[in-house]
Amino acid sequence: MSASSIPSFTGDASPYGGGDPYADYRAADFPFTQYADLADRRLGGGVVAANDEFFAERENLLKPEPAEFDPEHFGHKGKIMDGWETRRRRGVSAGQPHPVDEDHDWALVRLGAPGVVRGIVVDTAHFRGNYPQAVSIEGASVAGSPSPEELLGDDVKWTTLVPRTAVGGHAANGFAVDVEQRFTHLRVNQHPDGGIARLRVHGEVVPDPAWLGALGTFDLVALENGGQVEDASDRFYSPATNTIQPGRSRKMDDGWETRRRRDKGNDWIRYQLVGQAEIRAVEIDTAYLKGNSAGWAALSVRDGAEGEWREILPRTRLQPDTNHRFVLDAPAVGTHVRIDIYPDGGISRLRLFGSLTEQGAARLTARHQELGG
């Protein structure tokens, strides 16, 4: 089996009783949510097609914010839900009024950043009597920018990531995935019909080495290029992964902000670069962090998981709501970077510009090939 539910929410949800619509929502701490959401719209994810979206549009699946519920919101087709919802399936005749076991609805999802899927969350928030009986999810690796028709062609190989599994309504249904393969697209199936509020696809980005090689100089820590956050001292207000999202921050919680320190320590984030690389320039952005930006920051690099940390940017004063740029005196070679902020506060983005070393490029190419890229 390629996936396991952790845990599996099955059975009926209670009808909405008024008040806080999330009061009886069933959630869990899934071990794979440390990984980035490969289907994030900010990375370029999208729901490219669905066989049915009668009650609610497929695009809602990838909205970044939690699903909303308005009990009074109805339209010409019925109750308007913040998710993807299909019409009720029917059988072929009065003598056979029920759908057959094979009947199901589907949606095709393009991952914004192709990679290895470590876990999937199928969130049925606010779908209480209209969620699917079961879901199944498949993955495919297709080069370029295929159309829905091409993805549905007979020559595309789909690999099961989540076998057909019962799910619960008004709940976060989580599935661990252990398929070591690089995927570009998912096919989400709901059996036989119903609604899903949100889809999250957590995993490790596996970039195309040919693309990065053609770029030459690029952001070595960017999420879309295969950088990742390994650890952070504090994630109280917002996740450290925000610092390597595409584009500039658009509001205060689109960056990384820590709680107020009441000791003499400092906060930090440790990153893994896409591969061994030469860092030549740095950007530290504090956009939208005005009364709570970090006061100072320092950068260190190490080569290999057991290497010694070397400071490449000494403790430097930061200004609020400002993009700071630094050209290093000499290229810094390494695989990991740590930013220390003093004493607390936050930054919105970190950019590390440079290029892969010969060793880093070779390892990235080898992994890409091993994963079927």
Side-chain angles (χ1 to χ4, degrees):
M1 184 178 291
S2 59
S4 58
S5 181
I6 352 175
S8 176
F9 291 108
T10 57
D12 293 330
S14 299
Y16 175 60
D20 179 5
Y22 272 106
D24 58 342
Y25 175 74
R26 291 169 289 172
D29 291 326
F30 301 118
F32 49 74
T33 55
Q34 62 177 301
Y35 297 103
D37 181 3
L38 303 180
D40 194 323
R41 287 285 303 172
R42 291 173 293 182
L43 293 175
V47 187
V48 299
N51 72 306
D52 188 295
E53 45 188 329
F54 185 85
F55 286 115
E57 297 84 0
R58 65 183 190 264
E59 288 87 356
N60 291 333
L61 282 173
L62 303 186
K63 283 183 177 179
E65 62 275 353
E68 296 181 353
F69 180 72
D70 181 352
E72 304 298 328
H73 196 190
F74 287 84
H76 294 293
K77 293 182 179 180
K79 182 73 184 72
I80 296 176
M81 297 293 291
D82 187 9
W84 168 49
E85 185 181 6
T86 67
R87 73 192 77 198
R88 300 188 187 213
R89 281 184 171 268
R90 295 292 184 251
V92 295
S93 67
Q96 296 178 330
H98 304 102
V100 298
D101 192 55
E102 293 78 19
D103 285 345
H104 67 277
D105 293 319
W106 53 265
L108 296 177
V109 176
R110 179 190 65 242
L111 298 181
V116 179
V117 178
R118 298 301 183 192
I120 297 174
V121 178
V122 176
D123 189 349
T124 58
H126 314 303
F127 287 92
R128 296 170 180 268
N130 48 351
Y131 58 93
Q133 181 183 40
V135 299
S136 62
I137 301 174
E138 304 158 280
S141 182
V142 183
S145 303
S147 67
E149 292 75 21
E150 291 170 322
L151 289 171
L152 295 172
D154 294 336
D155 58 334
V156 175
K157 177 186 176 182
W158 291 94
T159 300
T160 298
L161 304 183
V162 178
R164 183 168 175 168
T165 306
V167 294
H170 196 45
N173 300 273
F175 305 92
V177 178
D178 60 5
V179 180
E180 288 294 320
Q181 187 176 333
R182 179 182 185 266
F183 295 105
T184 62
H185 294 78
L186 299 187
R187 183 162 60 188
V188 180
N189 306 304
Q190 51 178 344
H191 308 266
D193 54 36
I196 299 170
R198 297 289 188 267
L199 178 76
R200 303 292 184 244
V201 185
H202 297 281
E204 298 178 58
V205 177
V206 181
D208 182 353
W211 175 254
L212 296 184
L215 292 179
T217 296
F218 58 92
D219 184 356
L220 302 161
V221 76
L223 194 59
E224 60 191 313
N225 294 333
Q228 57 184 296
V229 170
E230 283 194 333
D231 201 2
S233 61
D234 188 292
R235 300 176 174 89
F236 189 82
Y237 286 114
S238 45
T241 304
N242 280 353
T243 61
I244 53 175
Q245 289 280 4
R248 294 198 73 198
S249 173
R250 295 172 296 172
K251 53 182 180 175
M252 192 173 73
D253 67 349
D254 194 19
W256 172 60
E257 182 189 358
T258 71
R259 75 190 81 196
R260 299 186 188 217
R261 276 192 170 267
R262 302 308 187 196
D263 58 23
K264 300 300 181 183
N266 74 283
D267 289 315
W268 51 267
I269 305 175
R270 186 176 73 244
Y271 304 89
Q272 180 176 313
L273 306 182
V274 59
Q276 188 191 64
E278 289 187 349
I279 305 168
R280 294 188 288 273
V282 174
E283 282 189 2
I284 302 174
D285 196 352
T286 59
Y288 291 97
L289 296 164
K290 299 179 179 180
N292 50 357
S293 67
W296 293 262
L299 277 179
S300 300
V301 65
R302 74 180 182 191
D303 192 20
E306 305 301 323
E308 295 290 330
W309 289 105
R310 297 178 291 108
E311 189 174 74
I312 60 173
L313 181 70
R315 193 178 304 187
T316 302
R317 188 77 169 94
L318 299 182
Q319 299 299 322
D321 195 26
T322 301
N323 192 24
H324 309 76
R325 290 179 170 175
F326 309 94
V327 176
L328 301 183
D329 293 335
V333 176
T335 57
H336 296 75
V337 164
R338 189 183 72 235
I339 184 167
D340 287 275
I341 64 169
Y342 300 88
D344 56 21
I347 62 172
S348 61
R349 295 290 188 270
L350 175 68
R351 306 295 187 213
L352 304 175
F353 295 103
S355 54
L356 291 170
T357 64
E358 185 176 336
Q359 180 186 103
R363 288 183 176 177
L364 184 64
T365 299
R367 183 164 188 254
H368 189 263
Q369 293 173 345
E370 289 170 3
L371 295 171

